[in-house]
């Protein structure tokens, strides 16, 4: 027979378990009880009336951006927000045209990851001047002291670059050759990752940096660069890439040439990269939490529209979304966690 005390304990335990799952989901994405998600959205200020939001990120060809779109749309449904997407297509000119189009329409709020700093300032200021809350994601639209965005949701790019580079340096015992294949140079995330890379390699005089050519997040450019690098250099001990897509594209070239001895590190910790770490094709990656950034933009936008949240008092101007380094030691757990919550 179950007594009242046991019932209370069981109910409390279920509530704690549900809250834990919900908290992970709030800062992540999917894979949990939809009833809990709906209840959380209501408590967090779900809009009673449908809201219209416009989103854009660098380009849906990139796995990180595609996962972010999925997260934004999911959280949009929870918070009663209809999300319209303006694809940046990994091209600053094409994204500018898309944001000019966005700025010609009326939205309750918008969220943008710029392909490059300063490329979207005019249309974004037009929307801000019209009273539309703008959330900046991942890379600066413009320096924060020059533009009145609601908030800037981003990872610590310098930390990510340094942590993966340090893992690679440790793997080659602090000596040998290393390369860095960069993203778009105008992207503040890429700038931070490069800074992190240099902060580490500068401490190791026995490490020689062979190449730092940018590939602009473009896997086709990566393949061309790495065809040249593998022909030019008979030995490359380690290679740091500004995202996982580029790392895996380079690995295919290495594999075709029988040069898979190079230790490879990337950024984002997307599922294919975590699997590559498990399989030994990549040595390390680091989680850039796309879902927390895009999902967080939905929550911030709704709070601004429904709750009247203001920058600096209710919402910080800069919110850091961090994530761990992933190596073979913790890859199994990270892949499971992403499958459950897309953290």
């Amino acid at each position: 027979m179950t007594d009242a005390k046991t019932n209370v304990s069981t109910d409390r335990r279920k509530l704690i378990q549900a809250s834990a799952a919900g908290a992970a989901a709030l800062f992540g994405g999917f894979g949990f009880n939809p009833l809990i998600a709906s209840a959380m959205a209501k408590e967090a200020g779900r809009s009673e009336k449908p809201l219209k939001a416009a989103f854009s990120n660098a380009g849906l060809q990139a796995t990180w951006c595609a996962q972010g779109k999925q997260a934004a749309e999911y959280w949009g449904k929870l918070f009663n927000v209809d999300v319209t997407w303006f694809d940046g297509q990994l091209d600053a000119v094409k994204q500018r045209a898309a944001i000019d189009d966005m700025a010609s329409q009326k939205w309750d709020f918008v969220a943008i990851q710029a392909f490059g700093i300063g490329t979207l300032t005019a249309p974004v200021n037009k929307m801000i001047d019209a009273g539309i809350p703008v959330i900046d994601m991942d890379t600066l639209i413009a320096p924060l002291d020059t533009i009145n965005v609601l908030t800037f949701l981003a990872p610590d790019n310098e930390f990510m670059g340094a942590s993966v580079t340090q893992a690679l340096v440790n793997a080659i015992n602090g000596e040998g050759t290393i390369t860095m294949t960069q993203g778009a140079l105008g992207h503040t995330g890429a700038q931070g990752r490069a800074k992190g890379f240099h902060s580490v390699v500068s401490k190791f005089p026995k490490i020689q940096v062979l190449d730092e050519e940018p590939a602009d997040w473009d896997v086709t450019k990566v393949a061309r660069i790495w065809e040249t690098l593998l022909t030019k250099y008979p030995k490359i001990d380690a290679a740091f890439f500004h995202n996982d897509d580029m790392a895996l594209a380079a690995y295919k070239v290495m594999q075709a040439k029988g040069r898979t001895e190079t230790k490879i590190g990337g950024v984002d910790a997307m599922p294919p990269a975590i699997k590559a770490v498990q399989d030994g094709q990549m040595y390390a990656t680091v989680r850039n939490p796309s879902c927390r950034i895009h999902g967080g933009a939905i929550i911030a936008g709704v709070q601004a529209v429904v709750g009247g949240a203001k920058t600096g008092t209710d919402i910080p101007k800069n919110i850091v979304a961090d994530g761990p380094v992933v190596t073979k030691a913790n890859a199994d757990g990270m892949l499971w966690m992403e499958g459950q919550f897309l953290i």
Side-chain angles (χ1 to χ4, degrees), residues 15 22 42 60 73 86-87 126 195 238 252 288 291 306:
L15 178 61
K42 185 176 181 180
L60 296 176
E73 290 171 346
F86 293 78
D87 187 8
K126 179 181 177 181
K195 188 174 180 181
K252 288 182 180 179
N288 179 4
C291 295
V306 175

Side-chain angles (χ1 to χ4, degrees), residues 85-158:
W85 210 268
F86 293 78
D87 187 8
Q89 300 183 65
L90 298 183
D91 185 295
V93 174
K94 290 177 180 178
Q95 188 182 39
R96 174 56 185 264
I99 303 306
D100 283 335
D101 182 21
M102 181 192 290
S104 71
Q105 303 176 52
K106 182 171 176 54
W107 308 98
D108 290 299
F109 66 92
V110 306
I112 297 170
Q113 178 208 21
F115 185 74
I117 188 170
T119 58
L120 307 174
T121 308
V124 167
N125 276 331
K126 179 181 177 181
M127 289 186 280
I128 292 171
D129 291 344
I132 299 171
V134 175
I135 296 99
D136 192 350
M137 302 186 297
D138 185 63
T139 190
L140 290 172
I141 294 169
L144 287 182
D145 59 353
T146 69
I147 192 165
N148 193 26
V149 294
L150 177 68
T151 189
F152 176 46
L153 281 157
D156 184 337
N157 284 287
E158 188 173 343

Side-chain angles (χ1 to χ4, degrees), residues 242-292:
H242 280 192
N243 77 358
D244 293 332
D245 291 350
M246 295 194 297
L248 291 173
Y251 179 78
K252 288 182 180 179
V253 180
M254 296 175 193
Q255 196 173 37
K257 291 184 173 290
R259 294 280 302 275
T260 57
E261 73 284 354
T262 302
K263 302 290 186 186
I264 298 173
V267 171
D268 290 339
M270 302 304 295
I274 298 175
K275 186 67 168 55
V277 171
Q278 288 177 314
D279 296 341
Q281 296 167 352
M282 287 179 63
Y283 184 79
T285 183
V286 60
R287 180 59 179 157
N288 179 4
S290 177
C291 295
R292 273 192 283 160

Side-chain angles (χ1 to χ4, degrees), residues 291-304:
C291 295
R292 273 192 283 160
I293 290 169
H294 288 78
I298 290 283
I299 296 170
V302 170
Q303 290 300 308

Side-chain angles (χ1 to χ4, degrees), residues 167-293:
L168 293 173
V169 167
N170 292 346
I172 62 174
N173 298 315
E175 58 182 289
T177 55
I178 193 169
T179 63
M180 174 172 61
T181 302
Q182 302 190 66
L185 296 183
H187 185 286
T188 57
Q191 293 167 6
R193 292 168 207 185
K195 188 174 180 181
F197 171 84
H198 286 293
S199 73
V200 172
V201 296
S202 64
K203 299 174 185 175
F204 293 86
K206 293 183 179 180
I207 287 183
Q208 179 187 4
V209 178
L210 299 176
D211 187 82
E212 299 182 25
E213 190 172 350
D216 302 326
W217 318 114
D218 186 332
V219 295
T220 303
K221 288 184 182 179
V222 171
R224 290 200 299 267
I225 289 169
W226 274 86
E227 286 281 353
T228 301
L229 290 177
L230 292 173
T231 300
K232 185 175 181 180
Y233 299 108
K235 188 170 183 285
I236 302 173
D237 295 304
F240 171 53
F241 297 84
H242 280 192
N243 77 358
D244 293 332
D245 291 350
M246 295 194 297
L248 291 173
Y251 179 78
K252 288 182 180 179
V253 180
M254 296 175 193
Q255 196 173 37
K257 291 184 173 290
R259 294 280 302 275
T260 57
E261 73 284 354
T262 302
K263 302 290 186 186
I264 298 173
V267 171
D268 290 339
M270 302 304 295
I274 298 175
K275 186 67 168 55
V277 171
Q278 288 177 314
D279 296 341
Q281 296 167 352
M282 287 179 63
Y283 184 79
T285 183
V286 60
R287 180 59 179 157
N288 179 4
S290 177
C291 295
R292 273 192 283 160
I293 290 169

